[in-house]
Amino acid sequence: MLKGGRWSELDASRQKAYVMRLLDGLEVVDRNRRLNMARAILYLAQGVFGECDTEAEVLYWARYNNFLLYQMGTFTAFLEMLNMEMANSQACSSALRKPAISLADSTALRVLLSVMYLMVETIRAEKETDLPEWKTSRETFRTELSFPVHSEEPFALLLFTMVTKFCSGHAPHFPMKKVLLLLWKVLVFTLGGFEALQAMKVRKREELGLPPLPEDSIQVMRSMRAASPPAYTIELVEQQQQKRGHRSRKPLMKQDSLDIYNERDPFKNDELGADEEEADEIDGGIEGELDMLERDTVVQAVSVPRPPVERVSFPKGLPWAPKVRQKDIEHFLEASRNKFIGFTLGQDTDTLVGLPRPIHESVKTLKQHKYISISDVQIKNEEELEKCPLSLGEEDVQETPCEILYRAMLYNLPQYMIALLKILLAAAPTSKAKTDSINILADVLPEEMP
């Protein structure tokens, strides 16, 4: 609570003056006083909930205060404090000596990361009621996070460095849950989400002269049902034993019988139709499920009543459009020419002389679903640049936030991947004891265990 009044009753000039006084308090020598000022700023970023009566008021003041804090330079000040806390060797050595790390070891870091997360998440979300100056602040903030304005590296790289230090054991007191949450929001804010990715793909394909995308793969995946986890081995064995008890034969055909069926000539329609009719009469509508060696036995037992066989219903087609690469067509034609002709024609996909009609139809179907990705074009351009570096010159690489972040992460990219994998394995439930795993619960355990 503010002394001498409520935050909501102050005008804009007094609110800015109060924020400036809090920011001045972040530069004092006393660490406890700096922490108190940071907590006061956190209270403002959370929406001064002590003065609000409804949730809508808290959300309104949280959004208003976060934009105000950013405009006053709060994020830059907290970024400097975060660098100071990361370089605090005394806190690292103290955490290494402790047998168990608790919330008390990461108090200052949690306050700083909470304020920075609230600012990133609030400013990132767009609303129709946003003021024009707020929209300008959003774009400025995105640029500040994407490009190394105040430091020599993007802000996301600093968070990745915290992840590697935590996983290597040099800073076990880092609140990794908050670090990962802030890293996620920073990447979504600077690089864009799935919608921005789809729009970028469409725009890039138009620039390269490629056909438009047949669909949005993310939307297709969202409409699909989640797959249930596989059953245990014991349950599968019990189900198979129950099915064997009810039926005297296997519902599926052996592989050698499949080979016998595949050796038939597909152009002999009369023989194929007669075989299908015979199979229908014998099997009651289940085509191709009988073993060739068991057919005589089953014909004699047709009149015996048996329980109905459960039929598996498959979808009529794939939920997404099939995509075929140029190399897939070349490999298919190479294998077909080796089989029917005895030699290949390299990368020629138009000459089909000497190949049977099914191969013609297969090539036609493959070409109908041919898909050229942006990466294929980029790889081809890169190969041409490597062949003729003097005549073609250097490649013109656009300075995008993704390119800048990738360039900064390239040298230590394996370490970042290993660190994230360690956290993922430590968070995965398992029945075995994790003796060598990292402690990801350090930022949720109290100082004194009950």
Side-chain angles (χ1 to χ4, degrees):
M1 297 292 291
L2 296 175
K3 296 182 179 180
R6 296 162 59 94
W7 175 262
S8 57
E9 297 176 354
L10 300 178
D11 55 6
S13 59
R14 295 183 62 186
Q15 290 176 348
K16 293 180 180 179
Y18 187 78
V19 173
M20 287 299 299
R21 188 162 64 250
L22 293 178
L23 294 178
D24 292 339
L26 296 177
E27 299 180 359
V28 297
V29 179
D30 189 2
R31 187 171 183 272
N32 293 329
R33 187 178 177 184
R34 291 201 309 268
L35 182 58
N36 292 333
M37 294 299 175
R39 283 173 170 168
I41 295 177
L42 175 61
Y43 174 70
L44 294 178
Q46 291 175 341
V48 288
F49 50 85
E51 302 179 7
C52 301
D53 298 329
T54 61
E55 183 180 352
E57 293 183 16
V58 177
L59 295 177
Y60 168 78
W61 284 111
R63 188 169 185 80
Y64 174 83
N65 293 340
N66 277 286
F67 275 98
L68 177 63
L69 290 174
Y70 172 71
Q71 294 171 358
M72 300 300 295
T74 306
F75 190 85
T76 304
F78 271 68
L79 181 58
E80 295 177 357
M81 292 185 62
L82 181 62
N83 288 319
M84 291 174 55
E85 292 295 332
M86 289 179 58
N88 189 356
S89 58
Q90 182 179 359
C92 295
S93 59
S94 176
L96 290 172
R97 289 194 301 266
K98 286 187 176 182
I101 303 174
S102 61
L103 284 170
D105 299 309
S106 60
T107 303
L109 284 172
R110 286 186 290 107
V111 172
L112 299 177
L113 293 172
S114 297
V115 174
M116 301 175 84
Y117 170 80
L118 288 172
M119 295 181 65
V120 171
E121 177 62 13
T122 304
I123 298 176
R124 182 185 70 89
E126 299 181 5
K127 290 188 176 181
E128 298 179 356
T129 57
D130 288 347
L131 300 176
E133 57 182 6
W134 288 6
K135 297 179 181 180
T136 305
S137 299
R138 180 181 296 112
E139 297 303 324
T140 306
F141 192 28
R142 180 184 286 111
T143 304
E144 182 180 345
L145 294 178
S146 304
F147 300 93
V149 179
H150 298 285
S151 60
E152 298 180 357
E153 58 186 16
F155 179 60
L157 188 65
L158 177 65
L159 299 178
F160 273 114
T161 305
M162 295 183 68
V163 175
T164 54
K165 285 185 177 181
F166 173 79
C167 293
S168 62
H170 297 299
H173 65 292
F174 281 177
M176 198 44 48
K177 291 180 179 292
K178 291 186 178 295
V179 172
L180 292 177
L181 190 61
L182 178 58
L183 176 60
W184 169 38
K185 295 299 181 180
V186 169
L187 292 178
V188 172
F189 185 32
T190 56
L191 306 183
F194 288 130
E195 291 79 8
L197 176 62
Q198 182 67 14
M200 190 184 304
K201 285 182 179 180
V202 173
R203 184 175 63 255
K204 191 65 176 178
R205 292 184 70 86
E206 292 179 355
E207 295 176 358
L208 297 176
L210 299 176
L213 291 171
E215 63 202 355
D216 186 356
S217 57
I218 302 300
Q219 295 296 333
V220 173
M221 295 298 295
R222 287 176 177 174
S223 61
M224 296 176 61
R225 292 183 58 186
S228 58
Y232 292 99
T233 308
I234 300 177
E235 296 179 1
L236 292 176
V237 173
E238 292 178 354
Q239 292 178 2
Q240 292 178 359
Q241 291 177 354
Q242 292 176 0
K243 291 181 180 179
R244 290 177 181 176
H246 289 295
R247 292 186 297 223
S248 61
R249 61 179 180 83
K250 297 181 180 180
L252 297 178
M253 187 169 49
K254 296 181 180 179
Q255 185 63 36
D256 55 353
S257 302
L258 286 174
D259 296 337
I260 295 175
Y261 276 115
N262 291 333
E263 291 178 358
R264 294 182 177 178
D265 190 353
F267 295 100
K268 295 181 180 180
N269 298 327
D270 297 338
E271 297 180 6
L272 185 60
D275 294 337
E276 290 181 353
E277 292 178 0
E278 182 181 357
D280 292 339
E281 294 175 358
I282 294 174
D283 196 27
I286 304 177
E287 299 178 2
E289 293 184 354
L290 296 179
D291 191 355
M292 296 289 291
L293 301 178
E294 299 176 356
R295 175 167 295 187
D296 297 336
T297 307
V298 177
V299 170
Q300 299 176 1
V302 166
S303 59
V304 179
R306 59 189 180 189
V309 180
E310 298 180 358
R311 297 182 64 90
V312 181
S313 60
F314 294 95
K316 296 182 179 180
L318 295 175
W320 54 81
K323 298 177 181 178
V324 181
R325 300 177 302 171
Q326 178 69 18
K327 291 184 178 180
D328 298 333
I329 303 177
E330 294 175 0
H331 292 167
F332 174 74
L333 282 175
E334 182 180 358
S336 301
R337 287 164 179 161
N338 285 329
K339 181 177 180 181
F340 293 101
I341 302 178
F343 63 90
T344 60
L345 298 178
Q347 298 180 353
D348 185 6
T349 59
D350 297 328
T351 305
L352 302 178
V353 178
L355 297 177
R357 191 173 67 182
I359 302 299
H360 290 225
E361 297 295 333
S362 300
V363 174
K364 181 180 178 182
T365 304
L366 290 174
K367 289 184 177 181
Q368 288 177 352
H369 300 285
K370 182 180 177 181
Y371 174 76
I372 302 176
S373 63
I374 300 176
S375 60
D376 293 339
V377 178
Q378 294 175 341
I379 292 173
K380 185 177 180 180
N381 295 337
E382 186 69 22
E383 292 176 352
E384 293 178 355
L385 288 172
E386 291 180 357
K387 292 180 181 178
C388 309
L390 298 178
S391 59
L392 297 179
E394 296 182 357
E395 183 180 2
D396 185 13
V397 180
Q398 187 178 2
E399 291 293 325
T400 60
C402 184
E403 180 69 25
I404 293 175
L405 179 60
Y406 178 75
R407 188 186 305 160
M409 295 177 57
L410 181 59
Y411 297 102
N412 297 322
L413 190 60
Q415 285 78 4
Y416 299 143
M417 295 176 59
I418 294 173
L420 293 176
L421 181 59
K422 285 183 178 180
I423 296 175
L424 181 62
L425 294 177
T430 178
S431 58
K432 297 181 180 180
K434 300 178 181 179
T435 55
D436 299 333
S437 63
I438 55 180
N439 184 15
I440 59 175
L441 301 177
D443 56 339
V444 296
L445 297 177
E447 185 176 2
E448 296 180 0
M449 297 297 294

Short mmCIF file of all heavy atoms in Angstrom, two decimals, residues 8 20 49 83 98 126 158 170 237 390:
data_model
loop_
_atom_site.label_atom_id
_atom_site.label_comp_id
_atom_site.label_asym_id
_atom_site.label_seq_id
_atom_site.Cartn_x
_atom_site.Cartn_y
_atom_site.Cartn_z
N SER A 8 -4.43 3.80 -7.34
CA SER A 8 -5.43 4.10 -8.36
C SER A 8 -5.91 5.55 -8.30
O SER A 8 -6.49 6.06 -9.26
CB SER A 8 -6.63 3.16 -8.20
OG SER A 8 -7.18 3.28 -6.89
N MET A 20 9.97 6.22 -10.45
CA MET A 20 11.35 6.69 -10.51
C MET A 20 12.03 6.57 -9.16
O MET A 20 13.23 6.23 -9.07
CB MET A 20 11.39 8.13 -11.01
CG MET A 20 11.09 8.29 -12.49
SD MET A 20 12.27 7.41 -13.54
CE MET A 20 13.79 8.22 -13.09
N PHE A 49 -3.00 -5.64 -6.10
CA PHE A 49 -4.18 -6.43 -5.74
C PHE A 49 -4.74 -6.07 -4.37
O PHE A 49 -5.89 -6.36 -4.07
CB PHE A 49 -3.83 -7.92 -5.78
CG PHE A 49 -2.58 -8.28 -5.02
CD1 PHE A 49 -2.60 -8.52 -3.65
CD2 PHE A 49 -1.36 -8.36 -5.68
CE1 PHE A 49 -1.45 -8.84 -2.96
CE2 PHE A 49 -0.20 -8.68 -5.00
CZ PHE A 49 -0.23 -8.92 -3.63
N ASN A 83 22.02 -9.73 -14.08
CA ASN A 83 23.43 -10.02 -14.36
C ASN A 83 24.27 -9.99 -13.08
O ASN A 83 25.19 -10.81 -12.91
CB ASN A 83 23.99 -9.02 -15.37
CG ASN A 83 23.45 -9.25 -16.78
OD1 ASN A 83 23.32 -10.39 -17.21
ND2 ASN A 83 23.13 -8.18 -17.48
N LYS A 98 25.62 -26.19 0.77
CA LYS A 98 24.43 -26.66 1.47
C LYS A 98 24.04 -28.06 1.01
O LYS A 98 24.10 -28.37 -0.19
CB LYS A 98 23.27 -25.70 1.23
CG LYS A 98 23.38 -24.39 1.98
CD LYS A 98 22.11 -23.58 1.82
CE LYS A 98 22.16 -22.30 2.65
NZ LYS A 98 20.91 -21.52 2.52
N GLU A 126 -1.70 -8.87 -27.24
CA GLU A 126 -2.32 -7.74 -27.94
C GLU A 126 -3.82 -7.71 -27.66
O GLU A 126 -4.47 -8.75 -27.61
CB GLU A 126 -2.07 -7.85 -29.44
CG GLU A 126 -0.60 -7.83 -29.83
CD GLU A 126 -0.41 -7.92 -31.33
OE1 GLU A 126 -1.44 -7.89 -32.05
OE2 GLU A 126 0.73 -8.01 -31.79
N LEU A 158 21.01 -15.19 -22.65
CA LEU A 158 21.33 -15.07 -21.23
C LEU A 158 20.57 -16.12 -20.41
O LEU A 158 21.12 -16.74 -19.49
CB LEU A 158 21.00 -13.66 -20.73
CG LEU A 158 21.20 -13.38 -19.24
CD1 LEU A 158 22.67 -13.49 -18.87
CD2 LEU A 158 20.66 -12.01 -18.87
N HIS A 170 27.15 -25.63 -11.38
CA HIS A 170 27.84 -24.44 -10.90
C HIS A 170 26.90 -23.47 -10.19
O HIS A 170 27.36 -22.65 -9.38
CB HIS A 170 28.51 -23.71 -12.08
CG HIS A 170 29.57 -24.53 -12.75
ND1 HIS A 170 30.71 -24.97 -12.11
CD2 HIS A 170 29.66 -25.00 -14.02
CE1 HIS A 170 31.46 -25.67 -12.93
NE2 HIS A 170 30.85 -25.70 -14.11
N VAL A 237 -1.02 -59.82 -23.97
CA VAL A 237 -0.99 -61.29 -23.97
C VAL A 237 -2.33 -61.86 -23.54
O VAL A 237 -2.84 -62.82 -24.14
CB VAL A 237 0.15 -61.79 -23.06
CG1 VAL A 237 0.08 -63.31 -22.91
CG2 VAL A 237 1.50 -61.37 -23.61
N LEU A 390 33.30 -17.24 -56.24
CA LEU A 390 33.79 -15.96 -56.76
C LEU A 390 32.77 -15.30 -57.68
O LEU A 390 32.58 -14.08 -57.62
CB LEU A 390 35.11 -16.19 -57.52
CG LEU A 390 36.27 -16.74 -56.67
CD1 LEU A 390 37.50 -16.95 -57.55
CD2 LEU A 390 36.59 -15.80 -55.52
#
